[in-house]
Amino acid sequence: MTTDPILYSFRRCPYAMRARLALLVSGTTCALREVKLSAKPADMLEASPKGTVPVLVLPDCTVIDQSLDIMRWALERRDPENWLAREDTALIAANDGPFKHDLDRYKYPERHGTDAAVHRSNGLVFLRQLEERLNDNDQLCGPTRGLTDMAIMPFIRQFAATDPDWFAAQPIPRLQRWLDAHLASPLFTKTMRRLPPWQPGDDPIRFAEADC
Ligand SMILES: N[C@@H](CCC(=O)N[C@@H](CS)C(=O)NCC(=O)O)C(=O)O
């Protein structure tokens, strides 16, 4: 029986990545349950019937099932790098709304019946906006990483990985450096630990800074 919160997560999901980043930096220990999206565990669906990851279930059975809420919950408990001071809600909303819309239609044109090139161009407008932000500072809201960087970075990673050669050829050098540095960071590396899908009865897998 664990008294740690339980995190239902999917390694490659950008929403789950941002939650894991905040949980780790805040030093919050969780029991990590890797989910197969095609076979979601009944326990997760019971906690959060909408069926998306990440889902955090607290020891008192409170359920937090929006990635940004998980980030804020973790950082409100402990925020050693002061991430909450660097939250740009409008920029994150632009990422989660129009940019994510274009990302999906660029990455999976066959699924959406879309023209990938159109959605890649639309997405590039947002990438240029980020590039401009990085003119003034190394990170999106100041000189050091904060909630905005870590909320957005997993989505830029996915956009970049769709066609790495195309991404590398764009005139967005600050954004390319920003992404590379985050991908190489020990924090990100730790959040990307590979786990088999969780099954009821499995021993809890501790997800904590010290164990990664
Ligand atoms: N608004 C949610 C979105 C989470 C979300 O859409 N996650 C995707 C995975 S990246 C998911 O679980 N999709 C359900 C599915 O594919 O069945 C959040 O911020 O947590």
Side-chain angles (χ1 to χ4, degrees), residues 8-211:
Y8 292 95
S9 178
F10 174 58
R11 182 176 176 272
R12 288 186 290 121
C13 164
Y15 298 101
M17 281 179 207
R18 61 162 59 145
R20 297 197 304 269
L21 285 162
L23 287 162
L24 265 196
V25 85
S26 70
T28 307
T29 301
C30 295
L32 186 58
R33 295 183 176 179
E34 178 71 12
V35 166
K36 215 170 144 186
L37 291 179
S38 57
K40 293 167 192 157
D43 296 41
M44 177 184 122
L45 292 173
E46 196 181 310
S48 176
K50 73 178 170 51
T52 62
V53 289
V55 175
L56 188 70
V57 183
L58 304 185
D60 70 0
C61 297
T62 302
V63 175
I64 310 178
D65 63 4
Q66 288 294 336
S67 55
L68 289 173
D69 292 339
I70 296 174
M71 292 185 87
R72 292 190 195 105
W73 174 83
L75 296 166
E76 276 159 13
R77 295 178 82 226
R78 193 164 165 270
D79 188 7
E81 296 186 10
N82 213 11
W83 283 16
L84 284 173
R86 292 186 292 286
E87 174 174 4
D88 183 330
T89 47
L91 198 64
I92 297 171
N95 176 82
D96 289 14
F99 182 69
K100 171 72 164 116
H101 174 93
D102 286 316
L103 168 59
D104 289 344
R105 283 152 187 79
Y106 164 41
K107 192 169 158 62
Y108 304 110
E110 59 300 324
R111 201 181 284 177
H112 295 278
T114 46
D115 181 345
V118 168
H119 292 283
R120 185 170 74 182
S121 302
N122 293 348
L124 182 56
V125 175
F126 184 63
L127 301 186
R128 289 205 190 102
Q129 194 186 332
L130 300 183
E131 175 75 9
E132 260 185 49
R133 293 279 289 245
L134 297 170
N135 262 331
D136 304 327
N137 281 301
D138 283 350
Q139 303 296 327
L140 293 173
C141 292
T144 55
R145 67 186 179 185
L147 188 146
T148 306
D149 300 280
M150 306 325 276
I152 291 179
M153 186 274 287
F155 296 83
I156 306 303
R157 169 186 179 272
Q158 217 175 58
F159 197 92
T162 302
D163 183 345
D165 293 339
W166 176 86
F167 186 79
Q170 301 312 301
I172 43 174
R174 292 179 190 83
L175 187 69
Q176 286 152 346
R177 273 200 301 277
W178 171 89
L179 179 63
D180 286 346
H182 284 302
L183 296 183
S185 72
L187 184 68
F188 184 70
T189 307
K190 288 172 185 170
T191 65
M192 294 305 281
R193 185 174 156 195
R194 285 178 195 278
L195 292 175
W198 174 80
Q199 292 187 359
D202 281 356
D203 286 338
I205 294 183
R206 261 172 61 102
F207 180 65
E209 177 75 25
D211 299 330

